Amino acid sequence: MAPPNSTLRIDPHRFQRTFEELAAIGTTLDSGVHRPAFSASHQQARQWFFQHAVSAGLEVGIDRASNHSALLRCGSPWSPTLLLGSHLDSVPYGGRFDGALGVVAALECLKTVSENHLVLGTHLEAIDFTDEEGYFVGFLGSMALSGQLEAEHLQNARGARKLFLEKLAELGLSEETLFLARRDPASLAGYLELHIEQGRRLLDQEVQIGIVTTIVGIRSFRLHFLGRADHAGTTPMDRRRDAGLGASAFALAARDLVLRDFPGAVVTVGNVDYAPGAFNVVPESATVSLEFRSDDPGRLEAIESALLAQAAAEAERFDLQLEVDGLDSTAPTRLDKGVQETIARACEILDLTYTFLPSGAGHDAQIMAQICPAGLIFAPSADGASHSAREFTSPEDCRNGTNVLLQTALLLAEEGI
Ligand SMILES: [Zn+2]
């Protein structure tokens, strides 16, 4: 027997209208969006979210980490809440789909349930998390809500810490208030997020929906290759201790090593900083920004050992010293099996093709997964493009993803997790 409400669908025209309204906020000349966290355009998008929710008859609320929520009470008074969400902030000059799709989809799901007057086993809440992209502090909103935020994260605010504190103050918030956003996990039934894939696996496999199994762990390091500054004209090639060569050789070797020994994992040298950095001076030092990702904790460890050994070997080859600073480390997050199966059922109800896959990008879902069952649904990304104005997901794929979100939410709300 088909589950109740399995014929319910979103309103595709309303969804598209809403999506385009939002995309116009902070729009760039090349049709991307520029909505860094706490910028004027980001705040405007959040205002829009509230106005939109209120005009749809939803309750709205804001917490002490500036997470914005629209609430539909459709359970009994003591029911837990199922969160559906993503983020309205963007990377600087990013695309219109990253984060925005999930928030518009969540709103559309609440509207659909509301106008059908459904009574469910949970309340539904559409949530827009603060600073997912980490303009200041990555996953700030979901970290605060889930109780994982620590003073150390705030100390290390990227960009300017002073500006971060000013932005909080403008909203009547402070570092201390952020910790008050913590919610009791028992009050939450789960968390669901629809997001664009930001890669091209769905496209290549011609599959309509991705069900995320794991979100990769990420480790980052700063490597300092230290040599000796010398005259670029008078120092023979075989007498140099050129730090730049160590860094360059390492960047190429890191790629070969990961391709050969750790297929599926990725490694990136995102920046190399030479000092003193002149045409006519042999580089004395080269500082390398190194990041690598894998969905398997054991492999992450093995990649780290192999890469650091490689860096040491390159340093020795060019007669350099090597210093290593460990920076961030996040563990791979496995998402709830039961939620994954429920998303698959939703796809079957909707007659959509699906596949299970890991996510190479970080998402609020990995933070929420620490305190409640969490699920992440991917819609295909044209050309795999993301974090650029080239980001595109067809209206049909956006609609399909939103219907999967709706049907998954209904199944979870009716049957429990
Ligand atoms: Zn995102």
Side-chain angles (χ1 to χ4, degrees):
M1 199 180 77
N5 306 313
S6 61
T7 55
L8 204 62
R9 300 288 180 273
I10 61 152
D11 177 338
H13 302 294
R14 180 175 61 191
F15 172 83
Q16 197 57 31
R17 243 186 357 257
T18 315
F19 185 82
E20 278 162 21
E21 253 178 62
L22 171 61
I25 301 173
T27 189
T28 54
L29 286 175
D30 52 5
S31 299
V33 297
H34 180 67
R35 289 197 301 256
F38 300 126
S39 64
S41 53
H42 178 227
Q43 290 306 119
Q44 203 187 331
R46 305 189 108 179
Q47 285 299 321
W48 169 88
F49 172 77
F50 266 12
Q51 283 158 6
H52 204 86
V54 168
S55 60
L58 302 169
E59 282 177 49
V60 294
I62 185 167
D63 72 12
R64 305 295 285 280
S66 199
N67 293 313
H68 282 49
S69 292
L71 181 66
L72 178 67
R73 292 182 202 277
C74 45
S76 55
W78 51 87
S79 296
T81 301
L82 180 61
L83 296 173
L84 314 181
S86 200
H87 58 98
L88 291 178
D89 66 313
S90 77
V91 293
Y93 300 95
R96 45 167 62 188
F97 293 85
D98 181 352
L101 173 62
V103 176
V104 173
L107 268 178
E108 179 61 33
C109 288
L110 266 60
K111 286 185 227 171
T112 306
V113 172
S114 169
E115 63 205 9
N116 284 279
H117 310 290
L118 302 187
V119 177
L120 304 174
T122 72
H123 304 300
L124 295 181
E125 178 176 333
I127 187 161
D128 158 34
F129 283 119
T130 300
D131 200 12
E132 190 271 350
E133 297 288 4
Y135 193 74
F136 292 103
V137 178
F139 307 119
L140 177 64
S142 52
M143 295 271 280
L145 184 145
S146 62
Q148 296 170 79
L149 188 68
E150 287 173 21
E152 191 184 322
H153 299 126
L154 304 174
Q155 286 297 329
N156 297 335
R158 296 192 225 181
R161 182 171 146 77
K162 188 163 161 277
L163 183 63
F164 176 54
L165 296 177
E166 279 169 21
K167 292 289 182 188
L168 290 178
E170 277 170 25
L171 299 171
L173 302 172
S174 68
E175 287 186 323
E176 291 71 41
T177 65
L178 296 173
F179 295 94
L180 303 175
R182 180 178 195 150
R183 284 174 51 176
D184 178 4
S187 68
L188 304 175
Y191 174 72
L192 291 176
E193 178 166 0
L194 170 66
H195 204 280
I196 53 167
E197 183 200 346
Q198 304 177 286
R200 45 177 315 126
R201 286 164 301 178
L202 295 178
L203 207 69
D204 290 346
Q205 295 175 41
E206 295 181 15
V207 172
Q208 291 164 301
I209 295 291
I211 302 172
V212 178
T213 50
T214 315
I215 299 174
V216 290
I218 307 178
R219 291 191 186 181
S220 58
F221 287 84
R222 206 168 272 132
L223 306 180
H224 307 274
F225 289 91
L226 305 171
R228 190 180 62 215
D230 272 311
H231 194 292
T234 59
T235 317
M237 296 302 281
D238 61 353
R239 290 298 189 75
R240 299 181 177 201
R241 294 178 60 211
D242 185 336
L245 295 180
S248 306
F250 171 73
L252 289 171
R255 174 181 186 273
D256 291 345
L257 186 152
V258 168
L259 275 173
R260 186 188 62 230
D261 298 338
F262 304 99
V266 289
V267 60
T268 305
V269 169
N271 192 48
V272 182
D273 207 1
Y274 289 169
F279 282 85
N280 53 1
V281 185
V282 174
E284 180 172 31
S285 72
T287 302
V288 170
S289 301
L290 170 69
E291 190 216 64
F292 49 93
R293 307 182 180 210
S294 167
D295 61 359
D296 180 283
R299 292 184 92 213
L300 211 51
E301 200 61 43
I303 297 168
E304 176 176 324
S305 306
L307 287 175
L308 294 184
Q310 187 70 42
E314 300 299 350
E316 199 181 323
R317 176 176 162 202
F318 294 100
D319 195 16
L320 308 171
Q321 301 220 284
L322 177 71
E323 286 177 9
V324 178
D325 291 338
L327 303 177
D328 287 345
S329 172
T330 60
T333 305
R334 287 194 197 292
L335 297 178
D336 189 89
K337 261 262 182 312
V339 175
Q340 290 177 42
E341 279 156 20
T342 309
I343 299 170
R345 272 177 69 203
C347 292
E348 277 155 20
I349 288 171
L350 292 157
D351 211 10
L352 297 171
T353 53
Y354 61 90
T355 187
F356 294 90
L357 77 185
S359 169
H363 294 286
D364 287 310
Q366 79 199 53
I367 308 298
M368 295 305 294
Q370 310 302 322
I371 61 158
C372 62
L376 182 56
I377 302 160
F378 275 168
S381 290
D383 203 25
S386 187
H387 284 187
S388 97
R390 290 187 300 117
E391 228 169 55
F392 181 76
T393 295
S394 73
E396 191 192 349
D397 284 333
C398 290
R399 202 161 61 230
N400 287 340
T402 308
N403 274 320
V404 173
L405 181 69
L406 173 69
Q407 281 300 324
T408 307
L410 291 172
L411 289 169
L412 293 176
E414 282 157 357
E415 300 173 8
I417 294 172

